[in-house]
Structure formats: C-alpha cells, structure tokens
Amino acid sequence: MPKDGGIGASTKRREDVRFLTGKGRYTDDINIRGQAHAWFVRSDVAHGTLNKVDVAAAEAMPGVLKVFTAADFAGVGGIPCGWQVTDRFGKPMLEPKHPVLAEGKVRHVGDPIAVVVAETLEQARDAAEAVEVDITQLTPVLDMKAAIAADAPKVHEEIGSNLCYDWGFVEENKAAVEEAFKNAAHVTTLELVNNRLVANPMEPRVAVGDFDSAGGMHTLYTTSQNPHVIRLLMGAFVLGIPEHKLRVVAPDVGGGFGSKIYHYAEEAFVTFAAKTLNRPVKWTSTRSEAFISDAQGRDHVTKIELALDKDNNFTALRTETYANMGAYLSTFAPSIPTWLHGTLMAGNYRTPLIYVNVKAVFTNTVPVDAYRGAGRPEATFQLERLVDKAARELGVSPVELRRQNFIKPDQFPYQTPVAVVYDTGNYHATMDKLLEISDYAGFEARAAEAKARGKWRGFGVAHYIEACGIAPSNLVGQLGARAGLYESATVRVNATGSLSVFTGSHSHGQGHETSFAQVVAEMIGIDAGQIEIVHGDTSNTPMGMGTYGSRSLAVGGSAIVKATNKIINKAKKIAAHLLEASEADIELKDGKFSVAGTDKSVDWSGVTLAAYVPHNYPLESMEPGLEETAFYDPSNFTYPSGGYGCEVEVDPETGKVEIVAFSAADDFGNIVNPMIVEGQVQGGLAQGIGQALMENCVFDENGQLLSGSFMDYAMPRAEDVPFFKVDHSCVTPCTHNPLGVKGCGEAGAIGSPPAVVNAVIDAFHRAGRTDITHIDMPVSPARVWSALNG
C-alpha cells in the first residue's frame, strides 16, 4: 500500500480547499489601485478593407482616457507564431503578420480594431459605441478547398495565397504507399469532418497590465497556461521589453484546455497601454467576446484510406487533410495538424507504410490552435473510424481486426513509419480489460432488451495512443519549434525542514500542488504537508515551458525529481559530516539519515538546520544552504494508450442518441495519485462526448458565427454523460523518465469521439441499416434522423 501522502496514494487535492470555499484568486480578482478599464471594438464583418477609424467622439466622452488604434502600435511587432513548418517541397510556411490591432483590413468577425480605455468599465463600453468604423466589405473565404483556388479572395494579399503550407510526411514513403494500394486485396476509404470546437473554459480570459515608472518594470497578470513563454514572446517579439523588466503572473486559472497557451493581442495591449497611460489597465473578456476571440480547435476535413492484404493485415495508410488555420497563425497552430497529428497516424497498429498530406489554409474565421489533445484526437478519430468501417466491409469483428493488427508486446520499443518510437505498451491487455469492465459478453442480452423497448442499441470500441510530454528540444527544434520544450524546478529547503518547490509548470486544474508534493514527500520520506508548490510567477520560478500536452508530471515532475535528488545528495554530505561517517555509507529512509549497519542516525530536520547553521562545516569544500535547481529535457515523448468502449441507445423515431454506458481502460504508466487521474479521464471523456454528440462551431456564408453563445453552442450537461467506468490497472511504465509516468490529461478527449460514433453506426447496422456507414460529428438528433430518412 502507498504511504499516506506519497506516490500511489489517492490524496485529496489540497488546492480544492481554497477553490471550494471561494478563496481562489483568479485574474479577475486582481484590482490595482488606480486601474483603468479597457473595452475592445471588434469587427462585425468577416472580411473588409478598413478605411477609417474615427475616435474623436469617443475620446470626448466622460471618463475616457484614450482610444487606441493601429496607429498607436506603429513600430510594434505582431503577435508571433511559435512554430515554423516546412512544406513537402522544402519551403517554409507562409507567415503573415498578426497585428495587435487591425491594420488596413479586418480578417474575421471579432478582429480587434480599437480599444477604449476609461476610468470605469461602463464608461469604456459606452464610449466604444461612439467609435466610428468605416469598412468596405470584401467577399469572405470560408471553405478550405475553395480558399486555395487561384481566383479565391485572399485573406492576406501580401503573401499571395491562402495556402499556408502543403506538408507531406513521410515524403519518401509516398511511392511505396501508392504501390501497396495497387496491390491491396481490400481498400477502405472514408471521408470525414472533425468539427470545429470552442474551448469554453469556466474562466474567460483576463489581462491586467501594470507599469512601475520608478523602476521601469512591466507586470502582466493573465490567465495563462505558460507565463514564461508569454514573457518571452511578448517581451522579445512584440513590445521589445527586456525580460528582466517584464514580470508575468498567472494566478489561479479556471481551466484552459489549450486555449490559454497562446500569446494574445489583449495581453500585449494592456501591457503597452499601462506604460502609455502610466496607470494599470484591466480587460476582462465577456463570454460572447470569447466566442470570437479565443483560439478555437479541430476543424479538419480528411480523406483517409486503408489497404489490407488477403489475410486482413494492414499494409498501407494514406490521408489527405485540409486543416483550418483561421485568419492568423496562433502560437502553436502550424504544428497541430502536422507534427502532433501526422506522427500519430500509426496508432496502435503495425501498418508498415504511411503517407500523410496536410494542407493548412487561411480563412476568414477565428484562428485555430491546440484544443485538448491537439492533433492526437484528429488522428485517432480518422484512424479508428476507418478501422471500424474496414471491419464491417470485411465482415469481421471490429475488436478482432484491431487485435490482429496491434503492435505486439514483444515488439517494443517499436519504430513506427512516421518517425516516432513507442518505448513501451500492451494494447492487447487494455483491450482485454475494456471488454471485461464493459461486460462486452452481456451486450447481446442488453441489445435485445432495448429492441423490445423500440430502441436500437450499439457498442463501439476505439483504441488510441498519444504522444505526451512534448519533447525533446533538439528534435522539436529540427521540426520547427522556436522554443525549447524542457521543464525546470528549484527546490528550496528551509532551516526547519519544510520545502518550497518552484516549478516552471503551471496548474489550471491538474492538481499539481498535490501530486508534485507527493513525489517530493516520497523521495525524502516526510509528510507532504511540509512541502509547498509555487508556480505561475516568472519573478520567482525558473524558466519553464508551461503546462499542456500532458507534460506536467512526465517533464515538470522529472525536473522536480532531478532537483530533489541534488538536495538529497547534498543532505547526505551534511549528514555524513554530522555522523562522522563516509558519505557512501549514508542511507535516507522515512525522513532519517543513518549510517549503514549502525544505529547512528539524524533526522531530516537535524540535517536541514545544520545546512543553515554551519558552525563546524569544512567551508572550503561544502557551502552552507540547501537549494538546488534542475532542468529536464526528455529523450522521447511518452505514449499513453487505451481501449474505450461506448454503449448507446438510438431512438429511430427522433434520432436522439443516449450514451448508456462508457468504459475506459488506460495505460498511463506509473500513477502518482489515482484519484486525480480518474478525474482527469472523466473530464476528458465529457469533452470528447461533447464533440461527438453536440458541440459544433458554425459560420454562415458571410463569416458570421451562428453558434456564438450557449443558446446556440450546445455544451454537455450532467444528463448527457453516463457514469464512467475508468480503469488504469494496465501499467507499462515509461522507460525514459525517472517516475515512469506517461500523462493522462488528454486521453479521455482523444479516445471517446470515435468510440461514440462507432457505437451509433453499430446500432444502425444491428437494426439492418447497413447502408449508413458514417455520420459526421456532432451526431445530433437532426443528423441521425436525416440519415435514417434519407
């Protein structure tokens, strides 16, 4: 059994005390004496020439301090993109400027044109109504395939095309893949859409800028998943502020799901305006504003094909995807449909030949970037829908077709044909566990009972793998990343034995303050209550890359392990000095240092006090104090995997789909806190089910967002999700990080959408409707009814 508070214990999240008692401190809770308020004037057309912005009337209104336009940002850099993709012809992607405020054109509904800063929020909002904007509307380009036609309107005329890049991977496989398809005994083809999503975290984005004229210090408080990256991008590329004169603070953050990774124009604006006006400036997004200004997710259109031999072995796979970038390149947008998507197209299978083509396209829509899973859900949805369709065409079990083609346990480490090497896994074990916990054997009886009630019951299975702990830096640098993807930690031991752990990772719901403390407590053998986890402030944490891609424990936790090991090694030197023994003979167990083979010992607090009271130290060879910093750059990604099973009932009269059961069997490697892991999976499943059944971001032919509020954009509620059976007992530890962990934050959102759609198609086929082979997400009642009724 795990020790209380150590690794493996389902310790309650310590941060929940402040959240549940209303004592969390979010960015909107920050109010600085003398602050002014900002309100953005945004474009109400998707595409147009910006002829004139008249601010005179607005600036004359009560309380208005200044109305900013693009003219105020002359000489200021644009919002940078953090990843450059090189296309299949060896050319770098087209990369248009992304201004802080619109210059000359507006390119999507919500594009910021001007900002009113006033004494109160109400005054700023009222004055915004008086800003006169003259726009000549242009034809918007919305359909990706139409956008790359030669005569299509250009989102950015200066780059001459709406095609950001045409990426091929692995290009040298292309001819062999085509040959394999020519020789295939069977080919399955599927065309599908991965629907665009709005992230909708519980807390909208907020930014507060402050400037200390005495010291020339800028401070930005913001809802960010990676404050150090925001400081680097904004300081170096946008505003030109030296890093030591720019502090970025991300306090408690109420959910991110990827949408708070990026550097946004609003953050640069409030920082710039605070210095210009010499007073703090605050902006808080409204929910309606978030729908047209937060980076959105997914939005792929794909044709995917699978070749099989006469024995139903996979021989080749090829895909062609159109990926929407929206109007501008967001921070990590170019990498999502390429390196985070194409490299996962092998899935769990031994497919020897794979070719992936991605065309990234600019359109007059809100920018698109990573959303929970980031490329991995898109890859998994394509592949797992395709395998299911192939099984039905071949007349074999979807479960058994997968089993037959899984990578075998004795084949690890496994080199895929799409660059990455899976270090460990056991996909047969997770499939077996899924069938056990879902009572797959009893499904036929349940389906018969449902049929008696006039409902069609279906069971869908999906198997996923994802690449987490995004790294290593030297590899991602070759792939176009403009930053390293290491993580950092500083461990500071106080004289009385308590510790402060400063991490470059940031928590926005993952429970870092609990799980990180568990790791350190286990290593030293002390109570986790003695350990404080500090994050989110660039002024007191070492440079780190933030939290996304299920990297917190695998990368951030490994940095903490390295720093803690340094602490332990130095503490052993001190203990050896105190015990008059050889350092090699010192053992640490349960918070006590002892000399091996003797009863001589000193406890943890005795050593830590001695570290700061070095009365008889050999100071020429051992420094006082006990504080260490470490950086961890992983040698490979981690590869969580799992089998998901969804059981649905379809009402053929109304088209309504009800999920009656959902089971998830995951391999996350070693588990630090099972309770937190279960919660992460459940949250991901809810989001994946939301995409599968109800969420859809829709623009009309003029580029207006039709699903711009919760009245029109359907979010899953408690009644839309079942009780989840979650299991993570199938463990193959990661082989290349010290904790053996793999990551769990995105799994639920990756594996659930194809499981849901597969279940719906299974229900149709069991009812005799074998003519229906696919329905695009969201599988709404209207879409089901339309499919059933032609």
Side-chain angles (χ1 to χ4, degrees), residues 161-216:
S161 174
N162 291 324
L163 183 63
C164 178
Y165 56 74
D166 183 350
W167 184 79
F169 186 70
V170 177
E171 196 68 23
E172 53 264 34
N173 284 354
K174 190 175 183 182
V177 168
E178 291 176 355
E179 186 66 22
F181 272 90
K182 290 179 184 176
N183 298 326
H186 182 84
V187 173
T188 294
T189 301
L190 181 62
E191 296 188 39
L192 50 79
V193 174
N194 204 295
N195 41 322
R196 182 186 281 232
L197 303 176
V198 179
N200 285 316
M202 185 165 58
E203 177 199 24
R205 289 191 297 118
V206 184
V208 185
D210 194 12
F211 179 68
D212 177 9
S213 57

Side-chain angles (χ1 to χ4, degrees), residues 604-620:
W604 169 255
S605 59
V607 171
T608 61
L609 181 61
Y612 291 94
V613 187
H615 287 165
N616 58 353
Y617 267 26
L619 293 174
E620 67 280 359

Side-chain angles (χ1 to χ4, degrees), residues 738-773:
L739 290 167
V741 298
K742 293 185 177 182
C744 68
E746 301 161 297
I750 294 171
S752 54
V756 173
V757 180
N758 287 345
V760 173
I761 299 301
D762 185 61
F764 289 169
H765 283 226
R766 289 173 179 274
R769 293 301 304 270
T770 56
D771 56 311
I772 304 172
T773 60

Side-chain angles (χ1 to χ4, degrees), residues 2 50 66 74 83 91 133 167 262 354 377 392 395 402 423 425 461 476 505 560 662 678 736 784:
L50 191 55
K66 182 174 175 60
W83 203 295
K91 297 187 299 183
V133 180
W167 184 79
Y262 325 117
I354 297 175
R392 298 189 188 284
R402 287 176 168 86
D423 64 326
V461 65
V476 297
S505 299
I560 290 172
F662 201 107
E678 185 168 348
H736 54 79
V784 173

Side-chain angles (χ1 to χ4, degrees), residues 83-86 167 169 334-344 376 418-420 467 478-480 637:
W83 203 295
Q84 177 181 284
V85 167
T86 300
W167 184 79
F169 186 70
S335 69
I336 307 307
T338 53
W339 300 111
L340 295 182
H341 161 256
T343 53
L344 267 293
R376 284 70 58 89
V418 279
V420 296
Q478 295 172 39
L479 303 182
F637 297 88

